Amino acid sequence: MIEITGEVKFSGNSAPESIPPNSHLIVKFQDVSLMDAPSVRLGETQVDVTNYKKGEALMYSIKCPMPSVIAPDYSVSAVLNIGWEPDADSWIRKGDYLTDTMHPVHLVEGVNVYKVDVELVKCE
């Protein structure tokens, strides 16, 4: 098993004062090595944001099996849906937050704990 932990940060000055009820923050650990194909989810966690206040840290932790192949193309991404829950037809809306850059996870054989902070940008 491996554990990936870190802080979910907001880009620039875009952090909300608070996060309304029924909001959902999902952080995923993915294999992004396949060109022209969807990433493969290896682990995922939902972060409780009910008591968030601006300036407080949002921490995440994902525990999952170590991938069978140590490759260079693993990453962490996140989406914060503000006041609604995503479904099969809709995953992001204006006013939500998401990662827009790659946050790589460099796996090393024999290492089981990794720290990767993630930055969210607001969808305008």
Side-chain angles (χ1 to χ4, degrees):
M1 295 292 286
I2 62 170
E3 181 177 20
I4 304 162
T5 63
E7 184 177 348
V8 178
K9 301 176 180 185
F10 294 93
S11 175
N13 217 9
S14 69
E17 292 296 324
S18 63
I19 298 176
N22 197 34
S23 296
H24 296 271
L25 173 57
I26 305 292
V27 183
K28 297 177 183 178
F29 171 54
Q30 301 170 314
D31 178 346
V32 293
S33 63
L34 299 174
M35 295 294 195
D36 299 324
S39 58
V40 176
R41 185 179 61 225
L42 303 171
E44 176 178 307
T45 190
Q46 182 164 336
V47 178
D48 182 4
V49 294
T50 54
N51 296 316
Y52 169 81
K53 300 288 185 249
K54 187 174 184 174
E56 294 179 356
L58 280 174
M59 305 302 293
Y60 77 92
S61 176
I62 299 172
K63 294 180 181 176
C64 63
M66 174 69 90
S68 58
V69 175
I70 304 294
D73 297 318
Y74 296 106
S75 72
V76 175
S77 64
V79 173
L80 172 58
N81 303 111
I82 299 293
W84 68 284
E85 184 173 1
D87 58 34
D89 296 324
S90 184
W91 69 277
I92 194 85
R93 294 179 183 167
K94 185 177 178 180
D96 290 345
Y97 294 80
L98 75 159
T99 52
D100 68 345
T101 59
M102 188 168 168
H103 299 284
V105 181
H106 302 289
L107 298 181
V108 177
E109 197 165 327
V111 177
N112 295 350
V113 178
Y114 298 86
K115 183 176 184 326
V116 179
D117 292 337
V118 176
E119 186 176 74
L120 297 176
V121 297
K122 189 171 185 177
C123 293
E124 299 293 340

